Structure formats: structure tokens, C-alpha cells
Amino acid sequence: MSQFDNVSIIKKANIYFDGKVSSRTVQFADGTHKTLGLMAEGDYTFSTEAAELMEILAGHVEVKLAGQENWQTVVGGESFNVDANSSFDIKVTGIADYCCSYL
Amino acid sequence: MSQFDNVSIIKKANIYFDGKVSSRTVQFADGTHKTLGLMAEGDYTFSTEAAELMEILAGHVEVKLAGQENWQTVVGGESFNVDANSSFDIKVTGIADYCCSYL
């Protein structure tokens, strides 16, 4: 699915890490929301409240979930899940375009 | 208006200048579209096909329209218009969050 239909989008951007990570919030009729975002090259740690599904739309990242030792490679078209009230480390090569769903 | 309702959003980001400028395309029921984007600090030149209304949602930019000598300061909440088939130079301080309407 290349687009989301019948949604609302919050105009103001969400900006993190001095703009190296940014996103827009998309709200769905069923009350759920997702963010469409971009990560510049770099290493970041994100914490979660709700569980998350992170879909990498384009790009190449390495991810290490909280409590795990190993890094997993995730590229465009692939995704990873993060538990609620947890965190993940992520290393971005180039630019990563992502969609985050809050489960 | 802080959000757009009943729209479609293209998931894939539009990326320019090695990611220093990026945007998402929002499509409206009436067939028009806008882009919601971010510009990192820097100097850029953009060309237009359709005429454009550039709303600066947040940030501080200096703009010089094609054929003009003077730079104009545009800050969050303000906007500027660009003719069709023209161009503009823009100097961004910090991060600029914008909405571009294609007229």
C-alpha cells in the first residue's frame, strides 16, 4: 500500500535530535495513528510507550532491541517490532524513511 | 488549521539535497495536493512549475524570488508566493517546517 486514504495529518512536524529525526502524525478513522518519518545517518535510542511496529520504507538500519545482545539488519520493505514500555537502539546508514504504527 | 482531514498521504518521502530537505505529499479530495516538509539549516534554490504558496509553519527563513534583488524574512506563521515556472532562493536558519500549496 503506497498511500493512506481518508486520514488526517497533523501539519506540524515532530522533530527529534536537532532535526536528524523527524516525522508527521497520521490519524486514522478508527482512532489509531501512525507516524511517517525520516532518520538521517546516525545512532539513536528511542523509548516506547505503546508497542510499535517500525516499517522501514527505504534505507538500511541496524537495530538492537532492549535486553538483546544482537543487532539485526533491517532494510527497505522490512520491519521490526518493539515491545511497549521498552526501547531500541538504531544505527542508520544514509537516510531511512519509516512508518511507525502504535499497536 | 492545525491538521488536514479526509486526505490521502503518500507514504514514501520526497527527499532533496541529501535529505537536508524532505517532504510528504498530501492529496485532497478536490484533486489538489500540498507537501508538508522540513528544511535543515542551509541555502537552497527551488524551481517551480505551478505557482506555489509556501507557508512557514515554524522557523526563520530569508527568501529571494527570481528576478528580485531583495531578500525577505519569513518566519513561522507567515508565507510567500512564488510564480509558476519560476524559482526562489532560500536561506534557512535552524529548521524550517513548511507547507507548500500548488496553485
Side-chain angles (χ1 to χ4, degrees):
Chain A
M1 185 214 311
S2 64
Q3 65 185 57
F4 296 127
D5 296 317
N6 302 317
V7 294
S8 295
I9 183 159
I10 307 300
K11 289 172 67 173
K12 194 172 183 305
N14 311 306
I15 297 177
Y16 312 95
F17 300 102
D18 296 328
K20 295 186 74 176
V21 177
S22 63
S23 66
R24 303 276 170 179
T25 302
V26 182
Q27 297 173 334
F28 291 73
D30 65 3
T32 61
H33 73 286
K34 299 178 190 286
T35 50
L36 289 170
L38 282 172
M39 293 182 273
E41 184 144 327
D43 300 356
Y44 311 100
T45 297
F46 291 97
S47 53
T48 63
E49 291 175 16
E52 295 179 7
L53 168 66
M54 278 285 287
E55 298 169 79
I56 302 299
L57 304 177
H60 177 113
V61 304
E62 306 285 331
V63 176
K64 187 160 76 72
L65 302 176
Q68 293 198 2
E69 293 300 317
N70 302 326
W71 291 84
Q72 54 177 313
T73 299
V74 185
V75 298
E78 300 175 343
S79 61
F80 61 95
N81 282 82
V82 191
D83 291 339
N85 305 307
S86 183
S87 66
F88 62 96
D89 298 323
I90 187 163
K91 295 181 179 187
V92 179
T93 309
I95 300 166
D97 189 2
Y98 71 87
C99 177
C100 182
S101 302
Y102 302 84
L103 311 179
Chain B
M1 183 214 313
S2 64
Q3 65 184 55
F4 296 127
D5 295 318
N6 303 315
V7 295
S8 295
I9 183 159
I10 307 301
K11 289 172 68 174
K12 193 172 182 304
N14 311 306
I15 297 176
Y16 312 96
F17 301 101
D18 296 327
K20 294 186 75 176
V21 177
S22 63
S23 67
R24 303 277 171 180
T25 302
V26 182
Q27 297 173 333
F28 292 73
D30 64 4
T32 62
H33 73 286
K34 299 177 189 289
T35 51
L36 288 170
L38 283 173
M39 293 182 271
E41 183 144 327
D43 300 356
Y44 312 100
T45 298
F46 291 96
S47 53
T48 63
E49 291 174 15
E52 295 179 7
L53 168 67
M54 279 284 288
E55 298 168 79
I56 302 300
L57 304 177
H60 178 112
V61 304
E62 306 284 331
V63 177
K64 186 159 78 72
L65 301 176
Q68 294 198 2
E69 291 300 316
N70 303 325
W71 290 84
Q72 54 178 313
T73 299
V74 185
V75 297
E78 300 175 342
S79 61
F80 61 95
N81 281 85
V82 191
D83 291 339
N85 305 308
S86 183
S87 67
F88 62 96
D89 298 321
I90 188 164
K91 295 181 179 187
V92 179
T93 310
I95 300 168
D97 189 2
Y98 71 88
C99 178
C100 181
S101 303
Y102 301 84
L103 312 178

